[in-house]
Amino acid sequence: MHYQILKKAFNDISPISEEDWLMIEHQLSFENFARNEFYITAGETETQIGFITKGSFKWYSINNKGDFINFHFFFNNNFIVEYKSFLSRKPSEMNIQALEDSEVILLPKHDRILELYKTSHNWAEFGRKIAEWAYLLTVNRVYDFLNRNAEERYLQLLEQHPDIFQRVSLSDIASYLGIQGPSLSRIRKRISRK
């Protein structure tokens, strides 16, 4: 059942034939993460791309003042990876932590994925699309902070994830929006009056 969801996700990104699928099916692994458990911590090197079948994660760093800076949230039916570390083979500067009990299918490790890219056009195309996804994620975050105010970022987040307040704490949402908790409260009150 879970693997069928993963196959559909692959095909939504780039067509994967049955032959391509059989190249990795026996190398997939399944891992549970309890709430607050880490998928990766700063200082570790990312070795695998995962796919969330249930749950959610936050992707964040801690600045030199000790503040948590949330960069992104990963939800079920999304791929999850600290891509900079995965590509560079260097330790991550970021943390990815479960926000709720979560389940993840892990793809084969880095070296095996690179072999797949060399042996299969479809897997190479999948790798390119995942790289594009990671790039666009970063560019869109930068664009949002340069061109949208906090209220516009808040409304966009609600549009993309209507149930976010049931799954993510207010402090994590405020950090993601680049504001403090009281500012988030004011935005929510202002919007509720409209």
Side-chain angles (χ1 to χ4, degrees), residues 2 5-6 9 51-55 74-79 103:
H2 290 309
I5 296 170
L6 178 60
F51 180 80
I52 305 167
T53 57
K54 174 189 165 189
F74 298 100
F75 295 101
N76 41 294
N77 299 323
N78 283 171
F79 287 93
E103 299 171 352

Side-chain angles (χ1 to χ4, degrees), residues 153-171:
R153 294 195 299 273
Y154 170 84
L155 290 169
Q156 181 184 43
L157 183 64
L158 270 185
E159 184 181 328
Q160 293 170 346
H161 305 289
D163 64 343
I164 195 159
F165 284 100
Q166 285 76 53
R167 304 182 74 180
V168 179
S169 72
L170 291 177
S171 61

Side-chain angles (χ1 to χ4, degrees), residues 40-46 82 84-86 88-94:
I40 188 171
T41 59
E44 293 181 313
T45 300
E46 179 69 277
E82 210 295 82
K84 180 181 174 186
S85 175
F86 183 82
S88 68
R89 312 305 304 129
K90 292 180 179 175
S92 173
E93 298 167 335
M94 309 279 279

Side-chain angles (χ1 to χ4, degrees), residues 1-7 10 21 24-25 27-33 39 48-54 57 78-80 102-108:
M1 172 64 177
H2 290 309
Y3 288 170
Q4 294 306 314
I5 296 170
L6 178 60
K7 276 177 84 171
F10 282 153
W21 174 253
I24 70 154
E25 185 176 23
Q27 297 175 59
L28 299 172
S29 58
F30 192 79
E31 192 165 342
N32 292 304
F33 292 86
Y39 177 82
Q48 289 176 281
I49 297 171
F51 180 80
I52 305 167
T53 57
K54 174 189 165 189
F57 293 79
N78 283 171
F79 287 93
I80 178 172
S102 302
E103 299 171 352
V104 176
I105 298 172
L106 295 168
L107 277 60

